[in-house]
Amino acid sequence: MVVTALDSLLSLQGHVLVFALPLWIVGHSQTPHWLIGVCGVVNTLMVVVFQVGASRGVVGNVSAGRGAVRSGVAFLLGMAAIAAAAGAPGRLASVLIVAGVVVYTVGELWHAAASFELGFGLAPARAQGQYSGLHATGSGLAGSLAPSVLALFCIIWGVPGWLALGCVFVLAGLAMPYAVRWAGRSRAAPSVADAVPA
């Protein structure tokens, strides 16, 4: 449940480029509105081309925890670049936003690999359905809260909000390896139910 909670926080990232970024481009930057489409294309192409490669290093729970750390850092760096566009002239703002989207998408690739691995890797064989259901519920809850959270952080609070949310992603990522190790230790100890024959 702790891993699911942390992953749910990181799952908010999936709505930044499709919800917060368009509003930011239109209302808080001196960039053309068609840049929204460019950012969408860049993000989509990167996911299609690089997702398999980004997943190759994630081969277990421990490496998935490290992937979550990397993703949190990439989210912060990408969001900082996007936030910096607010005070920049048009061309520079466009470059900052596209560069931020590229870095952010790298974080998205790492998070997707880590999330899928942990969603299945931490579940015992006898309860894959229950654990996967809980994991999916956390992501779904994050999706339902994302518009309100992102509107508060990224649109209402502006640049400080982008940076603060990026720091939330970093902290959630940094906490993930500890939560994964804790889950591994607790899994290693046999429970009473496992010790008593059916």
Side-chain angles (χ1 to χ4, degrees), residues 1-26:
M1 290 185 73
V2 172
V3 169
T4 295
L6 293 172
D7 188 65
S8 298
L9 278 176
L10 288 169
S11 293
L12 290 170
Q13 60 82 16
H15 301 269
V16 169
L17 299 186
V18 297
F19 177 80
L21 181 61
L23 295 176
W24 186 252
I25 288 174
V26 171

Side-chain angles (χ1 to χ4, degrees), residues 44-148:
T44 301
L45 288 177
M46 286 185 66
V47 169
V48 169
V49 173
F50 298 117
Q51 182 65 77
V52 173
S55 304
R56 283 199 183 109
V58 180
V59 293
N61 296 330
V62 173
S63 57
R66 290 195 297 265
V69 174
R70 291 194 302 270
S71 70
V73 173
F75 292 145
L76 174 58
L77 294 175
M79 294 175 78
I82 292 169
R91 289 184 181 178
L92 177 57
S94 297
V95 170
L96 286 169
I97 287 175
V98 172
V101 168
V102 168
V103 175
Y104 190 93
T105 302
V106 171
E108 185 179 347
L109 297 171
W110 285 334
H111 173 250
S115 181
F116 276 108
E117 179 64 33
L118 293 171
F120 291 101
L122 288 175
R126 68 180 185 281
Q128 282 283 346
Q130 295 92 319
Y131 277 65
S132 296
L134 176 64
H135 188 260
T137 299
S139 299
L141 181 61
S144 65
L145 295 175
S148 298

